[in-house]
C-alpha cells in the first residue's frame, strides 16, 4: 500500500488527475468530501459547531450554512482556531479510518487542497502537485466554474505559493495545456512511477541506485530536505537526529545522484524495531556493508539511502 497526496492551488486541475488515477484503480480518500461528511446533520461534529458558533450557522433545513459559519469563524484567529479544533480531529480520524480500510495492494489517492498549508507532505510516499499559473486559474474559475473574480483572487492569494508547492512536489504535473495532455502525464505517472513503487513496497524491495557521477544539482538540497522530513515522519521519537549527508549534501560537488540520509538512534535494537515502518514507508531494508542498518528507497525516481546509526558509534 502506498499513499499519494494530490494537491495544487484552487482551479489548478486536480479533478482531472484524480479522475485519471481513480479510473486506473486508485483508492480515493477525498479530503473535501470528508470535511463535509463530518459536519452533516446528525453528526457530533455539527452539534459541536452549533455549541461553539450558535444555531445561526444552520440553514432552514438544519444543515450547515457554510457562508454563515465562515462569517463567524473567519473573523479572527481565535475563532478560526476554535473551528479547526473541532473539525480537524474529526477529519483526521475519518481519514485514518478510510486509509486503514484500504486493501494491502492499494494505491491510496488522498486528494487534499490544503496539503502544503497543513504541512502534511512528509506523511505520504509521494506528493503530486498540479500546477497552473495563477492568472490562468483565475480565468478558469471565473469562466468555467462561475466564481466571482474577487472571491477567486482572494482564495488564490490566501493559499500556498507555487514555490512552497514546488518544495514538496515529488511529482509536478503541468496543466497549462489541454486537460487531455494533463491526463496523459497522469497516466504516465501511474504506470511508470506509482505502480512500480507500490510493487516494490509490497515486496520490500529497494530500487536500483544510479552510479554515474554528475555535476552538482541544486535540487539535491531540496530533495535532501524532503527526504529528511519524510524519514523523521517515519521514525518519530525513535531518532535523535536525521540529516542529509554524503556527496550530494556538499554544495558544488560532483556525485552520483543519491540522497544519503543518516538517522541517529539509541542502539541497533531500535534500528531493527523501526525496519518494518521504514520498509512500509517506502524505504525497504537492504544489505549493509557499512555500520548500522541500511534502507534504500523503493522509488527508482528518487534514489535515497537511509543509514541508521547507533548514537556515538
Ligand atoms: P481543482 O480541482 O484543482 O480546483 P478543477 O479540476 O476543478 O480544479 O479545474 C478548474 C476548472 O478548470 C474546471 O472548470 C475545469 O474543467 C477547468 N480546467 C481544468 N484543466 C483545464 C485545462 N487544461 N484547460 C481548460 N480548462 C481546464
Amino acid at each position: 500500500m502506498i499513499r499519494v497526496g494530490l494537491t495544487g492551488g484552487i482551479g489548478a486541475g486536480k479533478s482531472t488527475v484524480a479522475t485519471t488515477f481513480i479510473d486506473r484503480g486508485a483508492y480515493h480518500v477525498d479530503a473535501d468530501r470528508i470535511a463535509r461528511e463530518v459536519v452533516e446533520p446528525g453528526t457530533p461534529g455539527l452539534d459541536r459547531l452549533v455549541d461553539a458558533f450558535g444555531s445561526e450557522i444552520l440553514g432552514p433545513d438544519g444543515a450547515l450554512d457554510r457562508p454563515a459559519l465562515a462569517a463567524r469563524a473567519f473573523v479572527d484567529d481565535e475563532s478560526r482556531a476554535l473551528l479547526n479544533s473541532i473539525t480537524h480531529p474529526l477529519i483526521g480520524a475519518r481519514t485514518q479510518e478510510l486509509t486503514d480500510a484500504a486493501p494491502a495492494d492499494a494505491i491510496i489517492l488522498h486528494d487534499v487542497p490544503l496539503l502544503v498549508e497543513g504541512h502534511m507532505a512528509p506523511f505520504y510516499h509521494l506528493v503530486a502537485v498540479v500546477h497552473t499559473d495563477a492568472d490562468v486559474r483565475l480565468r478558469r474559475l471565473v469562466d468555467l466554474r462561475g466564481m466571482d473574480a474577487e472571491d477567486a483572487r482572494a482564495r488564490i492569494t490566501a493559499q500556498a505559493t507555487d514555490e512552497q508547492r514546488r518544495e514538496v512536489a515529488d511529482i509536478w504535473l503541468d496543466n497549462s495545456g489541454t486537460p487531455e495532455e494533463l491526463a496523459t502525464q497522469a497516466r504516465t505517472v501511474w504506470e511508470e512511477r506509482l505502480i512500480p513503487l507500490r510493487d516494490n513496497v509490497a515486496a520490500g524491495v529497494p530500487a536500483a541506485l544510479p552510479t554515474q557521477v554528475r555535476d552538482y544539482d541544486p535540487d539535491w538540497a531540496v530533495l535532501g530536505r524532503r527526504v529528511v522530513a519524510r524519514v523523521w515522519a517515519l521514525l518519530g521519537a525513535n531518532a535523535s537526529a536525521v540529516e542529509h549527508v554524503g556527496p550530494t549534501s556538499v554544495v558544488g560537488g560532483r556525485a552520483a545522484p543519491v540522497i544519503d540520509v543518516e538517522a541517529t538512534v539509541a542502539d541497533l535494537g531500535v534500528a531493527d524495531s523501526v525496519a518494518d515502518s521504514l520498509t512500509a514507508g517506502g524505504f525497504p531494508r537492504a544489505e549493509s556493508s557499512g555500520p548500522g542498518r541500511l534502507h534504500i528507497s523503493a522509488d527508482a525516481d528518487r534514489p535515497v539511502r537511509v543509514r541508521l546509526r547507533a548514537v556515538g558509534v
Side-chain angles (χ1 to χ4, degrees):
M1 181 268 272
I2 60 167
R3 289 182 312 280
V4 179
L6 173 65
T7 193
I10 181 167
K14 292 182 289 298
S15 324
T16 305
V17 177
T19 305
T20 306
F21 288 170
I22 293 162
D23 285 350
R24 268 151 196 80
Y27 178 96
H28 191 204
V29 177
D30 183 341
D32 267 344
R33 183 155 142 205
I34 293 172
R36 285 194 303 273
E37 263 176 24
V38 299
V39 291
E40 268 169 7
T43 57
L46 187 58
D47 291 346
R48 274 183 242 165
L49 287 182
V50 169
D51 287 345
F53 296 103
S55 54
E56 297 84 355
I57 63 164
L58 297 178
D61 56 353
L64 182 62
D65 176 348
R66 285 176 184 278
L69 174 65
R72 284 163 182 74
F74 297 149
V75 287
D76 53 42
D77 288 348
E78 207 179 315
S79 307
R80 193 188 290 264
L82 176 60
L83 170 65
N84 290 342
S85 75
I86 296 170
T87 56
H88 285 186
L90 296 168
I91 292 169
R94 181 70 183 139
T95 303
Q96 192 62 50
E97 203 173 83
L98 290 171
T99 302
D100 291 346
D105 65 351
I107 295 178
I108 298 176
L109 171 66
H110 192 196
D111 182 354
V112 198
L114 300 181
L115 182 147
V116 177
E117 294 80 350
H119 306 285
M120 294 158 72
F123 301 100
Y124 297 95
H125 290 76
L126 288 176
V127 170
V129 172
V130 188
H131 171 74
T132 309
D133 285 337
D135 53 340
V136 179
R137 287 194 274 139
L138 183 64
R139 208 167 50 236
R140 287 181 188 160
L141 289 171
V142 173
D143 295 350
L144 303 170
R145 278 217 218 145
M147 271 177 84
D148 171 69
E150 269 320 298
D151 184 25
R153 199 173 285 123
R155 284 176 193 235
I156 288 173
T157 313
Q159 293 188 342
T161 62
D162 289 344
E163 204 170 288
Q164 288 168 319
R165 290 200 187 94
R166 210 174 266 282
E167 174 89 14
V168 303
D170 298 298
I171 297 163
W172 187 258
L173 297 159
D174 185 274
N175 187 25
S176 47
T178 63
E180 186 44 43
E181 282 166 347
L182 178 61
T184 302
Q185 291 176 62
R187 276 196 293 273
T188 305
V189 164
W190 179 267
E191 273 147 33
E192 296 182 4
R193 191 141 185 207
L194 303 188
I195 299 267
L197 173 60
R198 188 270 316 268
D199 290 349
N200 281 348
V201 170
V205 175
L209 294 175
T211 51
Q212 202 169 355
V213 172
R214 289 198 205 156
D215 284 338
Y216 181 75
D217 182 342
D219 278 350
W220 291 343
V222 181
L223 259 173
R225 285 198 291 277
R226 207 182 296 151
V227 174
V228 163
R230 210 152 269 164
V231 171
W232 264 127
L234 290 166
L235 295 180
N238 289 299
S240 57
V242 180
E243 290 171 286
H244 180 192
V245 298
T248 54
S249 70
V250 180
V251 177
R254 279 172 60 79
V258 178
I259 303 297
D260 281 297
V261 165
E262 196 167 272
T264 309
V265 293
D267 54 50
L268 293 185
V270 173
D272 291 336
S273 75
V274 297
D276 287 350
S277 313
L278 279 171
T279 298
F283 303 99
R285 180 101 161 229
E287 281 300 315
S288 169
S289 52
R293 302 283 186 258
L294 182 67
H295 288 254
I296 291 177
S297 173
D299 179 5
D301 285 314
R302 197 191 42 218
V304 176
R305 263 185 301 252
V306 181
R307 190 171 288 283
L308 301 171
R309 300 189 63 161
V311 65
V313 177

